[in-house]
């Protein structure tokens, strides 16, 4: 049987209120940690207990996150926060540069360039990556060829059906022409004789 709906109102009993605060606080901090890990989110939590004690959780630097929040909502930054913001962006730029350099180096290695500084383990790893890439490319090519063949077969079937329908129509026209031709021939032979000759012949 499910739990009943809990009415949200202030807990009057101090002991119960403190116990509930501790449980809910721990649950909130745990969920914040899970959110930051699972979703790669930047999370910052500040909690002040009724007695004034502070609790916090920050997936990144708390000051940096607060500065980012103030910037997003349009609050002016203090001199200290501006310094933190500048340091943050400098760090971000340096990290992006390092990532770009690593990606460029990896692409050169995959292209067979700049391999002289790599050891045997690194060379084997690149070889495995290339083999995996080649297998994926071949698999994709086979899939595309199979789809193309199936499409051609469908077109061939449609053309065969259309050809069959045309042949039937031609046969029907030929049968129709054969039925009309004898009568037309008889009339032409009859009309070929002069009327007077026919009359004389009938007279005899």
């Amino acid at each position: 049987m499910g739990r009943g709906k809990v009415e949200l109102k202030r807990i009057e009993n101090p002991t119960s209120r403190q116990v509930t605060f501790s449980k809910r606080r721990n649950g909130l901090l745990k969920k914040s940690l899970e959110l930051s890990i699972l979703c790669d989110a930047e999370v910052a939590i500040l909690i002040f207990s009724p007695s004034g004690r502070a609790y916090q959780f920050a997936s990144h630097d708390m000051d940096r996150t607060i500065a980012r929040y103030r910037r997003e909502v349009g609050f002016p930054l203090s001199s200290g926060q501006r310094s933190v913001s500048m340091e943050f962006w400098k760090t971000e730029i340096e990290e992006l540069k390092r990532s770009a350099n690593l990606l460029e180096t990896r692409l050169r290695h995959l292209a067979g360039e700049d391999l002289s500084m790599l050891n045997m383990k690194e060379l084997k790893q690149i070889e495995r990556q290339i083999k995996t890439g080649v297998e994926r490319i071949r698999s994709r090519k086979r899939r595309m060829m199979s789809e193309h063949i199936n499409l051609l077969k469908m077109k061939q079937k449609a053309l065969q059906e259309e050809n069959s329908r045309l042949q039937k129509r031609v046969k029907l026209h030929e049968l129709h022409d054969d039925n009309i031709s004898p009568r037309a021939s008889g009339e032409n032979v009859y009309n070929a004789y002069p009327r007077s000759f026919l009359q004389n012949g009938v007279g005899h």
Side-chain angles (χ1 to χ4, degrees):
M1 184 176 179
R3 296 167 56 186
K5 185 177 180 181
V6 178
E7 184 180 1
L8 291 178
K9 65 178 183 178
R10 183 176 182 272
I11 300 173
E12 297 297 336
N13 186 282
T15 303
S16 299
R17 187 166 60 244
Q18 181 61 35
V19 171
T20 301
F21 172 79
S22 298
K23 289 182 179 179
R24 297 296 179 97
R25 178 201 64 207
N26 293 337
L28 179 59
L29 296 177
K30 180 181 178 182
K31 291 296 182 182
S32 301
L33 174 63
E34 293 174 354
L35 179 62
S36 66
I37 294 174
L38 295 175
C39 303
D40 196 24
E42 185 173 351
V43 181
I45 299 289
L46 281 173
I47 304 172
F48 292 93
S49 70
S51 62
R53 185 175 179 181
Y55 301 88
Q56 71 176 36
F57 165 80
S59 59
H60 298 70
D61 180 72
M62 177 65 78
D63 292 334
R64 188 189 77 174
T65 302
I66 292 175
R68 180 180 179 183
Y69 167 75
R70 294 178 67 88
R71 186 172 58 253
E72 289 292 332
V73 299
F75 288 164
L77 298 176
S78 64
S79 58
Q81 289 171 334
R82 281 195 294 271
S83 176
V84 170
S85 180
M86 290 179 63
E87 289 298 324
F88 164 73
W89 287 116
K90 286 181 180 178
T91 303
E92 288 290 315
I93 291 171
E94 291 299 323
E95 289 181 357
L96 288 174
K97 285 182 178 179
R98 284 195 295 271
S99 297
N101 291 333
L102 287 174
L103 288 174
E104 289 178 357
T105 301
R106 185 177 179 185
L107 287 174
R108 288 197 298 270
H109 291 166
L110 290 174
E113 302 174 358
D114 299 341
L115 301 177
S116 58
M117 301 300 293
L118 300 180
N119 57 35
M120 184 61 67
K121 182 179 179 180
E122 292 170 333
L123 289 172
K124 287 183 177 180
Q125 183 179 3
I126 292 174
E127 185 180 15
R128 286 195 299 268
Q129 292 174 347
I130 293 175
K131 285 182 178 179
T132 301
V134 170
E135 286 300 321
R136 290 176 179 173
I137 292 171
R138 288 175 177 172
S139 176
R140 177 59 180 163
K141 285 177 62 179
R142 287 193 294 266
R143 192 180 307 113
M144 291 180 66
M145 291 176 63
S146 177
E147 292 173 355
H148 186 63
I149 291 172
N150 290 333
L151 180 62
L152 290 177
K153 287 181 177 179
M154 291 174 62
K155 289 183 178 180
Q156 181 185 9
K157 183 179 179 182
L159 289 174
Q160 288 176 343
E161 292 175 352
E162 181 65 20
N163 184 48
S164 178
R165 286 194 295 269
L166 291 174
Q167 287 181 355
K168 289 180 180 179
R169 290 179 62 181
V170 170
K171 288 181 179 179
L172 287 174
H173 281 295
E174 290 176 350
L175 290 173
H176 182 70
D177 292 342
D178 290 343
N179 291 334
I180 294 175
S181 296
R183 287 184 295 174
S185 300
E187 291 175 357
N188 291 335
V189 171
Y190 180 80
N191 292 330
Y193 289 99
R195 183 175 297 178
S196 58
F197 176 79
L198 292 174
Q199 290 176 349
N200 293 332
V202 173
H204 289 290

